[in-house]
Amino acid sequence: MMNQILFAGVIGLFLTLVGTPLLIKLLARKGYGQYIRDDGPREHASKRGTPTMGGIAFILATIVAYFLAKVISGQPPTFSGLLVLGLMAGMGLVGFLDDYIKIVKRRSLGLRAKAKMAGQLIVGIAFAVLALQFPDARDQTPASTKISFVQDFGWSIGPVLFVIWALFMILAMSNGVNLTDGLDGLATGASVLVFGAYTFIGVWQFQESCANTQTLTNPSACYEVRDPLDLAIVASALMGACLGFLWWNTSPAKIFMGDTGSLALGGALAGLAICSRTELLLALLGGLFVLITMSVVIQVGSFRLTGKRVFRMAPLQHHFELKGWSEVLVVVRFWIIQGICVIVGLGLFYAGWAADK
């Protein structure tokens, strides 16, 4: 079990450490450089032209690491693992088209808003519908129609409302990571922490799975998750791939992930939360993404209602830059905030299990 998880993480790390420089050279040769907004912090002007679309590196590394782990173990892929990878790749494709149009077509806003939303909706709906299919021997599907925190609770909301709920999560997280990706290494480092948390959650759920009721001391406290081990493998591959990418993405960044990477990471986070039955817990585990998203909502809402801005600039990381904080200082302190969110989230996850013992 642990060999697959460790192997996936190490391979993901190795592939991005070695592969990202090759991607940097390829993107630089083609002139695929980052577009920098003129209304952003002045210090960011020096980043103009830095290769972008770096998300390609960790998307491919994650997929390769997952399948190599399955080959080495001699076990077939599971539907839960494939669905999360498919959601990640699908959202990454939407982001890639957006990046490509920005860079190659020289259209600063990338995809039209309606086209970008349509792409996200298609990918999200496909994931949500398929996640309610493929029951296993215990009639468990990759996703559940119940809302979940540390596991499912309450009544079923039905397939239609579930699809709407899943879409909300996917759109919220993908755009949350996208808004966070404004400083070198910020979104990448924060994602490493959350994927690390989901690696732990997957391992714990596998050990306490309801499929193993004969070996559990308290079967009533088990987890009804279809493929927890595979979710841990996917999360480990993502953690390793993002960590290797961070080597090149940290300040001063040699490459940016672009919308290709940010939408993919957000999709992967939402997919892991839905399939591991920790949907509401994701709001805490990914607390930094939620905080930064809310700063934009507050800024826009305040300006439209009162004509005044709450922050010097939104998203929140740019507010602190304009207050005089260096980019590295903002990133490290925001990583600390994200680390606290992960610790509290995992603490609540464990407390939920302990309360049922």
Side-chain angles (χ1 to χ4, degrees):
M1 176 192 71
M2 294 304 297
N3 289 342
Q4 294 184 66
I5 296 170
L6 180 61
F7 182 82
V10 170
I11 292 300
L13 172 64
F14 174 78
L15 289 177
T16 47
L17 275 176
V18 174
T20 303
L22 302 178
L23 181 62
I24 292 172
K25 292 179 181 178
L26 175 63
L27 295 173
R29 187 162 59 243
K30 290 184 173 294
Y32 292 175
Q34 176 69 33
Y35 169 82
I36 302 296
R37 291 166 45 188
D38 292 330
D39 58 345
R42 286 175 294 180
E43 293 80 2
H44 289 202
S46 61
K47 300 181 181 183
R48 185 174 283 111
T50 301
T52 188
M53 295 194 289
I56 295 171
F58 55 72
I59 292 173
L60 293 177
T62 298
I63 294 172
V64 171
Y66 171 80
F67 281 104
L68 282 179
K70 304 311 292 184
V71 169
I72 293 298
S73 67
Q75 297 179 354
T78 65
F79 287 111
S80 298
L82 293 176
L83 281 171
V84 175
L85 291 176
L87 178 59
M88 175 191 69
M91 296 298 289
L93 178 60
V94 175
F96 173 81
L97 293 174
D98 190 45
D99 287 333
Y100 185 82
I101 291 172
K102 286 178 184 176
I103 297 165
V104 178
K105 302 298 183 181
R106 303 296 180 184
R107 196 165 77 203
S108 62
L109 296 179
L111 278 174
R112 306 293 183 190
K114 290 183 179 179
K116 188 174 183 179
M117 179 61 71
Q120 291 176 299
L121 288 175
I122 291 171
V123 174
I125 290 173
F127 168 83
V129 171
L130 291 173
L132 295 179
Q133 313 303 316
F134 314 112
D136 62 8
R138 296 184 303 112
D139 205 34
Q140 289 293 316
T141 54
S144 166
T145 55
K146 292 183 178 180
I147 302 297
S148 60
F149 181 50
V150 295
Q151 54 185 314
D152 287 341
F153 66 87
W155 295 277
S156 169
I157 61 176
V160 175
L161 286 179
F162 166 76
V163 170
I164 295 173
W165 169 240
L167 276 176
F168 170 77
M169 287 191 61
I170 293 167
L171 293 175
M173 285 310 301
S174 59
N175 288 294
V177 178
N178 184 251
L179 290 171
T180 305
D181 183 36
L183 300 182
D184 295 356
L186 178 58
T188 310
S191 297
V192 168
L193 294 172
V194 188
F195 289 130
Y198 271 108
T199 302
F200 171 83
I201 287 172
V203 171
W204 190 272
Q205 289 178 333
F206 176 74
Q207 294 175 337
E208 301 293 331
S209 172
C210 293
N212 305 324
T213 50
Q214 293 181 348
T215 62
L216 298 180
T217 56
N218 184 8
S220 63
C222 65
Y223 294 95
E224 286 287 6
V225 177
R226 189 190 191 283
D227 306 298
L229 178 59
D230 244 35
L231 295 178
I233 294 171
V234 171
S236 178
L238 277 160
M239 178 178 64
C242 287
L243 192 59
F245 181 76
L246 182 61
W247 181 272
W248 306 102
N249 180 234
T250 195
S251 182
K254 301 295 188 294
I255 189 171
F256 300 134
M257 70 170 68
D259 282 15
T260 305
S262 60
L263 296 188
L265 292 181
L269 287 170
L272 287 169
I274 292 169
C275 291
S276 65
R277 315 290 205 269
T278 55
E279 296 159 358
L280 296 179
L281 186 64
L282 178 60
L284 184 53
L285 291 174
L288 180 64
F289 304 127
V290 175
L291 178 66
I292 287 176
T293 301
M294 289 306 301
S295 73
V296 176
V297 173
I298 292 170
Q299 184 84 326
V300 173
S302 175
F303 186 76
R304 289 183 176 178
L305 291 174
T306 67
K308 297 181 180 179
R309 293 180 172 87
V310 177
F311 307 105
R312 296 188 180 185
M313 186 177 180
L316 187 62
Q317 60 267 33
H318 299 318
H319 167 78
F320 289 102
E321 278 193 292
L322 294 180
K323 286 191 67 175
W325 291 19
S326 69
E327 181 175 6
V328 173
L329 180 63
V330 176
V331 169
V332 172
R333 286 182 172 173
F334 275 39
W335 281 350
I336 293 172
I337 292 171
Q338 179 57 62
I340 293 171
C341 290
V342 165
I343 292 170
V344 174
L346 288 178
L348 289 175
F349 176 78
Y350 177 78
W353 173 82
D356 291 330
K357 296 296 286 182

